[in-house]
Coordinates of all heavy atoms in Angstrom, one line a residue:
M1 N 16.0 5.5 0.5 CA 15.3 4.7 1.4 C 16.0 3.5 2.0 O 16.0 3.2 3.1 CB 13.9 4.3 0.8 CG 13.0 3.6 1.7 SD 12.4 4.8 2.9 CE 11.4 3.8 3.9
F2 N 16.7 2.8 1.0 CA 17.5 1.7 1.5 C 18.7 2.1 2.4 O 19.0 1.3 3.3 CB 18.0 0.9 0.3 CG 16.9 0.1 -0.4 CD1 16.5 0.3 -1.7 CD2 16.4 -1.0 0.3 CE1 15.6 -0.4 -2.3 CE2 15.4 -1.8 -0.3 CZ 15.0 -1.5 -1.6
A3 N 19.2 3.3 2.2 CA 20.3 3.7 3.0 C 19.8 4.0 4.4 O 20.5 3.6 5.4 CB 20.9 5.0 2.4
V4 N 18.6 4.5 4.6 CA 18.1 4.7 5.9 C 17.8 3.4 6.6 O 18.1 3.3 7.8 CB 16.8 5.6 5.8 CG1 16.1 5.7 7.2 CG2 17.1 7.0 5.2
I5 N 17.3 2.5 5.9 CA 17.0 1.1 6.5 C 18.4 0.5 6.9 O 18.5 -0.1 8.0 CB 16.3 0.2 5.5 CG1 14.9 0.8 5.2 CG2 16.2 -1.2 6.0 CD1 14.2 0.1 4.1
A6 N 19.4 0.7 6.1 CA 20.7 0.1 6.4 C 21.3 0.7 7.7 O 21.8 0.0 8.5 CB 21.7 0.3 5.3
V7 N 21.1 2.0 7.8 CA 21.6 2.7 9.1 C 20.9 2.1 10.3 O 21.5 1.9 11.3 CB 21.4 4.2 8.9 CG1 21.6 4.9 10.3 CG2 22.3 4.8 7.9
I8 N 19.6 2.0 10.2 CA 18.8 1.4 11.3 C 19.3 0.0 11.6 O 19.5 -0.3 12.8 CB 17.3 1.5 11.0 CG1 16.9 3.0 10.9 CG2 16.5 0.7 12.1 CD1 15.5 3.1 10.4
L9 N 19.5 -0.8 10.6 CA 19.9 -2.2 10.8 C 21.3 -2.2 11.5 O 21.5 -3.0 12.4 CB 19.9 -3.0 9.5 CG 18.5 -3.3 9.0 CD1 18.7 -3.9 7.6 CD2 17.8 -4.3 9.9
F10 N 22.2 -1.4 11.0 CA 23.6 -1.4 11.5 C 23.5 -0.9 13.0 O 24.3 -1.4 13.8 CB 24.5 -0.5 10.7 CG 24.9 -1.1 9.4 CD1 25.0 -0.4 8.3 CD2 25.3 -2.4 9.4 CE1 25.4 -0.9 7.1 CE2 25.7 -3.0 8.2 CZ 25.7 -2.3 7.0
A11 N 22.7 0.1 13.3 CA 22.6 0.6 14.7 C 22.1 -0.4 15.6 O 22.6 -0.6 16.7 CB 21.7 1.9 14.7
V12 N 21.0 -1.2 15.2 CA 20.5 -2.2 16.0 C 21.5 -3.3 16.2 O 21.7 -3.8 17.4 CB 19.2 -2.8 15.4 CG1 18.7 -4.0 16.1 CG2 18.1 -1.7 15.4
A13 N 22.2 -3.7 15.2 CA 23.3 -4.7 15.3 C 24.4 -4.3 16.2 O 24.9 -5.1 17.0 CB 23.8 -5.1 13.9
L14 N 24.8 -3.0 16.1 CA 25.8 -2.5 17.0 C 25.4 -2.5 18.5 O 26.1 -2.9 19.4 CB 26.2 -1.1 16.6 CG 27.2 -0.4 17.5 CD1 28.6 -1.1 17.4 CD2 27.4 1.1 17.1
L15 N 24.2 -2.1 18.7 CA 23.7 -2.1 20.1 C 23.5 -3.5 20.7 O 23.9 -3.7 21.8 CB 22.3 -1.3 20.2 CG 22.4 0.2 20.0 CD1 21.0 0.7 19.9 CD2 23.2 0.8 21.1
M16 N 23.1 -4.4 19.8 CA 23.0 -5.8 20.3 C 24.3 -6.4 20.6 O 24.5 -7.1 21.5 CB 22.3 -6.6 19.2 CG 20.8 -6.4 19.1 SD 20.0 -7.3 17.8 CE 20.2 -9.0 18.4
D17 N 25.3 -6.0 19.8 CA 26.7 -6.5 20.0 C 27.3 -5.9 21.3 O 28.0 -6.6 22.0 CB 27.6 -6.2 18.8 CG 28.9 -6.9 18.8 OD1 28.9 -8.0 19.3 OD2 29.9 -6.3 18.4
L18 N 27.1 -4.6 21.5 CA 27.6 -3.9 22.6 C 27.0 -4.4 23.9 O 27.7 -4.6 24.9 CB 27.4 -2.4 22.5 CG 28.3 -1.7 21.5 CD1 27.9 -0.2 21.5 CD2 29.7 -1.8 21.9
F19 N 25.7 -4.7 23.9 CA 25.0 -5.1 25.2 C 24.9 -6.6 25.3 O 24.4 -7.1 26.3 CB 23.7 -4.4 25.3 CG 23.7 -3.0 25.4 CD1 23.2 -2.1 24.5 CD2 24.4 -2.4 26.5 CE1 23.2 -0.8 24.6 CE2 24.4 -1.0 26.7 CZ 23.9 -0.2 25.7
G20 N 25.3 -7.3 24.3 CA 25.3 -8.8 24.3 C 23.9 -9.3 24.3 O 23.6 -10.4 24.8
A21 N 23.0 -8.6 23.7 CA 21.6 -9.0 23.6 C 21.4 -10.0 22.4 O 22.2 -10.0 21.5 CB 20.7 -7.8 23.4
S22 N 20.4 -10.8 22.5 CA 20.0 -11.7 21.5 C 18.5 -11.7 21.3 O 17.8 -11.7 22.3 CB 20.5 -13.1 21.8 OG 20.1 -14.0 20.8
A23 N 18.1 -11.7 20.1 CA 16.7 -11.8 19.8 C 16.3 -13.1 19.1 O 15.4 -13.2 18.3 CB 16.3 -10.6 18.9
G24 N 17.0 -14.2 19.5 CA 16.7 -15.5 18.9 C 17.7 -15.9 17.9 O 18.6 -15.1 17.6
P25 N 17.5 -17.0 17.3 CA 18.5 -17.5 16.4 C 18.5 -16.9 15.0 O 19.4 -16.9 14.3 CB 18.2 -19.0 16.3 CG 16.7 -19.1 16.6 CD 16.5 -18.0 17.6
V26 N 17.4 -16.2 14.7 CA 17.2 -15.6 13.4 C 17.8 -14.2 13.4 O 18.5 -13.8 12.5 CB 15.7 -15.6 12.9 CG1 15.6 -14.9 11.6 CG2 15.3 -17.0 12.9
F27 N 17.4 -13.4 14.4 CA 17.8 -12.0 14.4 C 19.0 -11.8 15.3 O 18.9 -11.2 16.4 CB 16.6 -11.1 14.9 CG 15.5 -11.1 13.9 CD1 14.3 -11.7 14.3 CD2 15.6 -10.5 12.7 CE1 13.2 -11.7 13.4 CE2 14.5 -10.5 11.8 CZ 13.3 -11.1 12.2
D28 N 20.2 -12.2 14.8 CA 21.4 -12.0 15.6 C 22.2 -11.0 14.9 O 21.9 -10.4 13.8 CB 22.1 -13.3 15.8 CG 22.4 -14.1 14.6 OD1 21.9 -13.7 13.5 OD2 23.1 -15.1 14.6
V29 N 23.4 -10.6 15.4 CA 24.2 -9.6 14.9 C 24.7 -9.8 13.4 O 24.6 -9.0 12.6 CB 25.4 -9.3 15.8 CG1 26.4 -8.3 15.2 CG2 24.9 -8.8 17.2
P30 N 25.2 -11.0 13.1 CA 25.6 -11.3 11.7 C 24.4 -11.2 10.7 O 24.6 -10.6 9.6 CB 26.2 -12.7 11.7 CG 26.6 -12.9 13.1 CD 25.6 -12.2 14.0
T31 N 23.3 -11.6 11.1 CA 22.1 -11.5 10.2 C 21.7 -10.1 9.9 O 21.5 -9.7 8.8 CB 20.9 -12.3 10.8 OG1 21.3 -13.6 11.0 CG2 19.8 -12.3 9.8
L32 N 21.7 -9.2 11.0 CA 21.4 -7.8 10.8 C 22.4 -7.1 10.0 O 22.1 -6.2 9.2 CB 21.2 -7.2 12.2 CG 19.9 -7.6 13.0 CD1 19.9 -7.0 14.3 CD2 18.7 -7.2 12.2
T33 N 23.7 -7.5 10.2 CA 24.8 -6.9 9.5 C 24.7 -7.2 8.0 O 24.8 -6.3 7.1 CB 26.1 -7.3 10.0 OG1 26.2 -7.0 11.4 CG2 27.3 -6.6 9.3
L34 N 24.4 -8.4 7.7 CA 24.2 -8.8 6.3 C 23.0 -8.2 5.6 O 23.1 -7.8 4.5 CB 24.1 -10.3 6.1 CG 25.4 -11.1 6.4 CD1 25.1 -12.6 6.4 CD2 26.4 -10.8 5.3
A35 N 22.0 -8.0 6.4 CA 20.8 -7.3 5.9 C 21.1 -5.8 5.6 O 20.7 -5.2 4.6 CB 19.6 -7.4 6.9
G36 N 21.9 -5.2 6.5 CA 22.4 -3.9 6.3 C 23.2 -3.7 5.0 O 23.1 -2.8 4.2
F37 N 24.2 -4.7 4.8 CA 25.0 -4.7 3.6 C 24.1 -4.8 2.3 O 24.4 -4.2 1.3 CB 26.0 -5.8 3.6 CG 27.2 -5.5 4.6 CD1 27.7 -6.5 5.3 CD2 27.7 -4.2 4.6 CE1 28.8 -6.2 6.2 CE2 28.8 -3.9 5.5 CZ 29.3 -4.9 6.2
L38 N 23.1 -5.7 2.4 CA 22.2 -5.8 1.3 C 21.5 -4.5 1.0 O 21.4 -4.1 -0.2 CB 21.1 -6.9 1.6 CG 20.1 -7.1 0.5 CD1 20.7 -7.6 -0.8 CD2 19.0 -8.1 1.0
C39 N 21.0 -3.8 2.0 CA 20.4 -2.5 1.8 C 21.3 -1.5 1.2 O 20.9 -0.7 0.3 CB 19.7 -2.0 3.1 SG 18.3 -2.9 3.6
V40 N 22.6 -1.5 1.6 CA 23.6 -0.6 1.1 C 23.8 -0.9 -0.4 O 23.9 0.0 -1.3 CB 24.9 -0.6 1.9 CG1 26.0 0.1 1.2 CG2 24.7 0.0 3.3
A41 N 23.9 -2.2 -0.7 CA 24.1 -2.6 -2.1 C 23.0 -2.2 -3.0 O 23.2 -1.7 -4.1 CB 24.4 -4.1 -2.2
L42 N 21.8 -2.4 -2.5 CA 20.6 -2.0 -3.3 C 20.6 -0.5 -3.5 O 20.2 0.0 -4.5 CB 19.3 -2.4 -2.6 CG 19.0 -3.9 -2.6 CD1 17.9 -4.3 -1.7 CD2 18.8 -4.4 -4.1
H43 N 20.9 0.3 -2.4 CA 21.0 1.7 -2.5 C 22.0 2.2 -3.6 O 21.7 3.0 -4.4 CB 21.3 2.4 -1.2 CG 21.5 3.8 -1.2 ND1 20.5 4.7 -1.4 CD2 22.7 4.5 -1.1 CE1 21.0 5.9 -1.4 NE2 22.3 5.8 -1.3
L44 N 23.2 1.6 -3.5 CA 24.2 1.9 -4.5 C 23.9 1.5 -5.9 O 24.3 2.1 -6.9 CB 25.6 1.3 -4.1 CG 26.2 1.9 -2.8 CD1 27.4 1.2 -2.4 CD2 26.5 3.4 -3.0
A45 N 23.1 0.5 -6.1 CA 22.7 0.0 -7.4 C 21.6 0.9 -8.0 O 21.2 0.7 -9.1 CB 22.3 -1.5 -7.3
G46 N 21.0 1.7 -7.1 CA 19.9 2.6 -7.6 C 18.5 2.0 -7.5 O 17.6 2.5 -8.1
A47 N 18.4 1.0 -6.7 CA 17.0 0.4 -6.5 C 16.2 1.4 -5.7 O 16.7 2.0 -4.8 CB 17.2 -0.9 -5.7
G48 N 14.9 1.5 -6.1 CA 14.0 2.3 -5.4 C 14.0 3.8 -5.8 O 13.4 4.6 -5.2
T49 N 14.8 4.1 -6.9 CA 14.8 5.5 -7.3 C 14.3 5.6 -8.8 O 14.5 6.6 -9.4 CB 16.3 6.0 -7.3 OG1 17.1 5.1 -8.2 CG2 16.9 6.0 -6.0
W50 N 13.5 4.6 -9.2 CA 13.0 4.7 -10.6 C 12.0 5.8 -10.7 O 11.9 6.4 -11.8 CB 12.3 3.4 -10.9 CG 11.1 3.1 -10.1 CD1 11.1 2.4 -8.9 CD2 9.7 3.4 -10.3 NE1 9.8 2.3 -8.4 CE2 9.0 3.0 -9.2 CE3 9.1 4.2 -11.3 CZ2 7.6 3.2 -9.1 CZ3 7.8 4.4 -11.2 CH2 7.0 3.9 -10.1
H51 N 11.3 6.2 -9.7 CA 10.3 7.3 -9.9 C 11.0 8.7 -10.1 O 10.5 9.5 -10.8 CB 9.3 7.4 -8.7 CG 10.0 7.6 -7.4 ND1 10.4 8.8 -6.9 CD2 10.4 6.7 -6.5 CE1 11.0 8.7 -5.8 NE2 11.0 7.4 -5.5
T52 N 12.2 8.9 -9.5 CA 12.9 10.1 -9.8 C 13.5 10.2 -11.2 O 13.7 11.2 -11.7 CB 14.0 10.4 -8.7 OG1 14.9 9.3 -8.7 CG2 13.3 10.5 -7.3
R53 N 13.9 9.0 -11.7 CA 14.5 9.0 -13.0 C 13.5 9.3 -14.1 O 13.7 10.0 -15.1 CB 15.2 7.7 -13.3 CG 16.5 7.6 -12.6 CD 17.2 6.4 -13.1 NE 16.9 5.3 -12.1 CZ 16.9 4.0 -12.4 NH1 17.1 3.6 -13.5 NH2 16.6 3.2 -11.4
W54 N 12.2 8.8 -13.9 CA 11.2 9.1 -14.9 C 10.8 10.5 -14.9 O 10.5 11.1 -15.9 CB 10.0 8.2 -14.6 CG 10.2 6.8 -14.9 CD1 10.4 5.8 -14.1 CD2 10.2 6.2 -16.2 NE1 10.5 4.6 -14.7 CE2 10.5 4.8 -16.1 CE3 10.1 6.7 -17.5 CZ2 10.6 4.0 -17.2 CZ3 10.2 5.9 -18.6 CH2 10.5 4.5 -18.4
G55 N 10.8 11.2 -13.7 CA 10.4 12.6 -13.7 C 11.4 13.5 -14.3 O 11.1 14.6 -14.7
S56 N 12.7 13.1 -14.4 CA 13.7 14.0 -14.9 C 13.8 13.9 -16.4 O 14.6 14.6 -17.0 CB 15.1 13.7 -14.3 OG 15.4 12.4 -14.7
R57 N 13.0 13.1 -17.1 CA 13.1 12.9 -18.6 C 12.1 13.8 -19.3 O 11.8 13.5 -20.4 CB 12.9 11.4 -18.9 CG 14.0 10.5 -18.5 CD 13.8 9.2 -19.0 NE 14.9 8.3 -18.5 CZ 15.0 7.0 -18.8 NH1 14.0 6.5 -19.5 NH2 15.9 6.3 -18.3
R58 N 11.6 14.8 -18.6 CA 10.6 15.7 -19.3 C 11.3 16.6 -20.3 O 12.4 16.9 -20.1 CB 9.9 16.5 -18.3 CG 8.9 15.7 -17.5 CD 8.2 16.6 -16.5 NE 9.1 16.9 -15.4 CZ 8.8 17.6 -14.4 NH1 7.6 18.2 -14.3 NH2 9.6 17.8 -13.4
R59 N 10.6 16.9 -21.3 CA 11.1 17.8 -22.4 C 11.1 19.2 -21.9 O 10.1 19.6 -21.2 CB 10.4 17.7 -23.7 CG 10.5 16.5 -24.4 CD 9.9 16.6 -25.7 NE 9.5 15.2 -26.2 CZ 8.8 15.0 -27.2 NH1 8.3 16.0 -27.9 NH2 8.6 13.8 -27.6
R60 N 12.1 20.0 -22.2 CA 12.1 21.4 -21.9 C 12.0 22.2 -23.2 O 12.6 21.9 -24.2 CB 13.3 21.8 -21.1 CG 13.4 21.1 -19.8 CD 14.6 21.6 -19.0 NE 14.7 20.9 -17.8 CZ 15.4 21.3 -16.8 NH1 16.1 22.3 -16.9 NH2 15.4 20.6 -15.7
R61 N 11.3 23.3 -23.1 CA 11.1 24.1 -24.3 C 11.8 25.4 -24.1 O 11.9 26.0 -23.1 CB 9.7 24.4 -24.6 CG 9.0 23.1 -25.1 CD 7.6 23.5 -25.5 NE 7.3 22.6 -26.6 CZ 6.1 22.7 -27.2 NH1 5.2 23.5 -26.8 NH2 5.9 21.8 -28.2

């Protein structure tokens, strides 16, 4: 999930950079890029995947 969010953030940042658009002082290209890097780091750290790990610990007979 975090990887998909990162892709969206990077795509928006790229389009804003290409077209020279600005959405105010808070949502600019460096901020969106850093938010994308944060989502990638969370994805690589395994955040948001706790429910799949618990399901794989079932006993098999």
Side-chain angles (χ1 to χ4, degrees):
M1 185 68 183
F2 284 115
V4 174
I5 294 170
V7 168
I8 294 169
L9 289 172
F10 286 138
V12 170
L14 177 66
L15 290 174
M16 287 176 67
D17 190 39
L18 288 175
F19 294 119
S22 178
V26 177
F27 296 109
D28 53 353
V29 174
T31 304
L32 291 174
T33 304
L34 288 174
F37 285 140
L38 175 66
C39 289
V40 169
L42 288 171
H43 172 73
L44 291 175
T49 59
W50 62 271
H51 58 85
T52 57
R53 281 187 267 153
W54 286 106
S56 64
R57 292 186 181 179
R58 289 184 281 183
R59 290 188 204 172
R60 294 186 184 195
R61 291 186 147 180

